[in-house]
Amino acid sequence: MHNKLKSAADCTGCMACANACPLGCIDFVQKTDGFLYPQIDEERCVHCGKCAEVCHRRMAGSLPIQTVAAHHREPERRLEASSGGIFSLLAGEILKRGGAVYGAAFAEDFSVAHCRIDRAEHLSRLLGSKYVQSHVGYTYREVKKDLKEGRAVLFSGTPCQIFGLKSFLGETYEGLICVEVICHGVPSPGIWSKYFADVREELGEEITRVNFRDKSTGWHNFSLGIYGQTQSKVEPSSKNLYMRLFLGNHILRSSCYRCEYATAERNADITLGDCWGNEAICPTLSAEGGISVVILNTEKGRSLYESVSDRLCAAKASLKTVIRYNKSFLTSPSASGIRADLEGLAERPVAAWSVTTTRKDRLTSLIRRVYNKLYIELALIFRLNKKG
Ligand SMILES: Cc1cc2nc3c(=O)[nH]c(=O)nc-3n(C[C@H](O)[C@H](O)[C@H](O)COP(=O)(O)OP(=O)(O)OC[C@H]3O[C@@H](n4cnc5c(N)ncnc54)[C@H](O)[C@@H]3O)c2cc1C
């Protein structure tokens, strides 16, 4: 057996390998681009091949069966969430049934890691998008334990994390429901922690709250809000340096630029995203506070969604129109010149960071956008033609 994992350029950081290693000899270490990568302790490795097996597994996904645009009935719940607050309803239902919910939460130092909750009063920790790659740790092992004990489990994360979990489990469990976000790509934890430390210094006090989707400036024009006891920095994402680096595709993981999971077949039961293009997709729904797009990929996903439908406002949506407004569902972002120098960026002080792009970057991005547009139209014709 061999223990050959994917190359660093293709590794998504899903951590299935570390979860699968029976001897615990795979560590995750931060490289100079600020992302975590697996490192095998060759002295202790017995070459059982379990890590390579989960890393390279092939799995068939499911084509969407139904698409809706929806938002939580309660406006306060929408404000706590990134789009329409649908995740909180789904997670709340699983908790009500005595199950466990896994998702991304802030740690004390505002780094981001996956955690497990089993009580409704802890749900707020998982709400809202954190635009940093979340550290999965050994949560897949905890999920397996919960499932073996007969507990219902909702696991949420990026499409590559859902793949990682399912690959680690290696078999299907009736009690497991997976909810993924439509993913633009995950930004570097190292770059985030440097930016965060810089803002803390600027505000001159400890940070008490971070909101990547502060809706005080609107759902479409959301801000990044970083709050201390007395001071705060709240900037629209179009102006904020960190968000411009993220949304301009400058600080994403290498594997995000060729995402294997941005495909018509999904590994999750439910896919959640922002219902961008809501005026065309669901003109009857109020956009105040945000609207989610809910893509139901399996009957299990549909059944969970239906069980919370009395607590939301919804409208039928066309998957084709949703995808035309939300290209991340099917395509990868285009890389920029700054990404190639992420190591350099991490070493420079934040004041010297810049998001200026070269003419070559702009040309590459234009070619990529045209390619993505064509790819999407072809996928809609050949893969999703009968899906609305
Ligand atoms: C990195 C990232 C990129 C995204 N890109 C897009 C996009 O291009 N287009 C789009 O329509 N939507 C995107 N989303 C999803 C969107 O921001 C909302 O999360 C989604 O619409 C669900 O919103 P909600 O209101 O139902 O629930 P919310 O309460 O906002 O969602 C919370 C859920 O997001 C998960 N989550 C939060 N942060 C992370 C993280 N760092 N890693 C893994 N899971 C996380 C939590 O586990 C929880 O399940 C992205 C989310 C993330 C985290």
Side-chain angles (χ1 to χ4, degrees):
M1 285 292 223
H2 65 92
N3 60 353
K4 207 160 170 20
L5 301 176
K6 282 180 185 163
S7 68
D10 290 329
C11 169
T12 62
C14 76
M15 303 200 178
C17 55
N19 278 269
C21 177
L23 296 178
C25 60
I26 302 183
D27 259 355
F28 268 78
V29 291
Q30 189 167 310
K31 288 208 175 169
T32 47
D33 64 359
F35 288 97
L36 296 175
Y37 291 88
Q39 186 169 286
I40 301 175
D41 180 345
E42 296 292 348
E43 302 270 291
R44 294 174 50 223
C45 174
V46 291
H47 302 276
C48 68
K50 292 218 160 59
C51 57
E53 187 184 324
V54 296
C55 184
H56 297 281
R57 203 188 290 283
R58 302 242 151 247
M59 273 189 295
S62 314
L63 287 172
I65 53 177
Q66 191 184 340
T67 307
V68 284
H71 64 66
H72 201 301
R73 270 191 196 283
E74 296 172 30
E76 314 83 69
R77 300 283 87 82
R78 299 204 286 276
L79 289 181
E80 297 170 339
S82 301
S83 50
I86 301 305
F87 171 76
S88 67
L89 287 172
L90 303 172
E93 180 64 22
I94 295 295
L95 294 172
K96 213 168 76 185
R97 295 178 192 174
V101 175
Y102 292 76
F106 284 117
E108 263 183 32
D109 61 356
F110 288 94
S111 60
V112 177
H114 261 60
C115 73
R116 172 192 190 276
I117 60 160
D118 56 16
R119 289 159 62 177
E121 55 269 39
H122 296 151
L123 182 55
S124 60
R125 296 183 59 199
L126 305 189
L127 303 185
S129 288
K130 289 95 186 170
Y131 292 131
V132 190
Q133 182 163 38
S134 176
H135 189 336
V136 162
Y138 290 104
T139 49
Y140 299 161
R141 291 183 182 178
E142 292 181 65
V143 170
K144 188 169 184 175
K145 185 167 175 284
D146 273 329
L147 292 168
K148 292 267 183 219
E149 287 169 0
R151 211 164 279 125
V153 171
L154 185 155
F155 185 92
S156 68
T158 57
C160 53
Q161 290 166 341
I162 303 298
F163 176 88
L165 169 67
K166 290 200 156 179
S167 182
F168 164 77
L169 292 173
E171 54 185 308
T172 49
Y173 288 85
E174 200 36 49
L176 174 66
I177 187 123
C178 291
V179 178
E180 66 180 4
V181 291
I182 295 181
C183 186
H184 175 92
V186 285
S188 160
I191 295 287
W192 163 245
S193 88
K194 187 149 185 168
Y195 177 77
F196 175 81
D198 190 75
V199 175
R200 189 176 50 202
E201 206 172 306
E202 182 187 324
L203 298 185
E205 58 183 9
E206 285 308 310
I207 305 298
T208 53
R209 190 162 69 90
V210 172
N211 187 352
F212 278 98
R213 294 289 297 261
D214 188 311
K215 293 176 178 170
S216 56
T217 46
W219 163 49
H220 282 101
N221 304 314
F222 65 91
S223 293
L224 168 57
I226 303 183
Y227 302 85
Q229 291 286 1
T230 60
Q231 307 289 317
S232 64
K233 182 178 174 107
V234 183
E235 268 182 348
S237 56
S238 54
K239 299 221 162 59
N240 176 268
L241 176 62
Y242 180 82
M243 289 305 290
R244 286 176 67 207
L245 285 166
F246 164 44
L247 296 170
N249 309 332
H250 305 300
I251 54 171
L252 308 180
R253 195 173 177 108
S254 290
S255 58
C256 296
Y257 300 103
R258 312 184 281 282
C259 178
E260 285 180 48
Y261 309 104
T263 66
E265 294 85 5
R266 313 300 289 195
N267 290 308
D269 299 285
I270 301 177
T271 307
L272 294 177
D274 282 282
C275 190
W276 303 134
N278 57 295
E279 298 88 350
I281 296 165
C282 51
T284 54
L285 281 188
S286 159
E288 213 185 320
I291 306 174
S292 299
V293 56
V294 187
I295 303 172
L296 305 168
N297 304 313
T298 63
E299 286 304 336
K300 207 199 291 189
R302 175 146 66 186
S303 158
L304 178 63
Y305 170 76
E306 278 172 1
S307 69
V308 301
S309 57
D310 57 328
R311 281 159 271 164
L312 48 81
C313 301
K316 209 170 149 225
S318 147
L319 179 62
K320 286 182 187 168
T321 319
V322 163
I323 293 174
R324 285 192 180 110
Y325 281 97
N326 210 330
K327 299 190 173 40
S328 305
F329 182 79
L330 276 186
T331 60
S332 309
S334 66
S336 74
I338 297 176
R339 175 59 182 81
D341 186 31
L342 204 50
E343 289 79 2
L345 193 67
E347 276 161 22
R348 285 194 290 281
V350 173
W353 289 1
S354 112
V355 276
T356 47
T357 45
T358 62
R359 189 187 284 193
K360 189 174 159 229
D361 278 344
R362 288 193 292 276
L363 186 65
T364 316
S365 161
L366 178 70
I367 294 169
R368 184 67 191 225
R369 282 208 304 275
V370 173
Y371 169 85
N372 282 352
K373 213 169 163 31
L374 272 172
Y375 177 85
I376 283 175
E377 292 307 319
L378 290 174
L380 292 179
I381 295 168
F382 293 109
R383 299 294 298 124
L384 294 161
N385 197 24
K386 297 200 182 75
K387 301 287 168 185

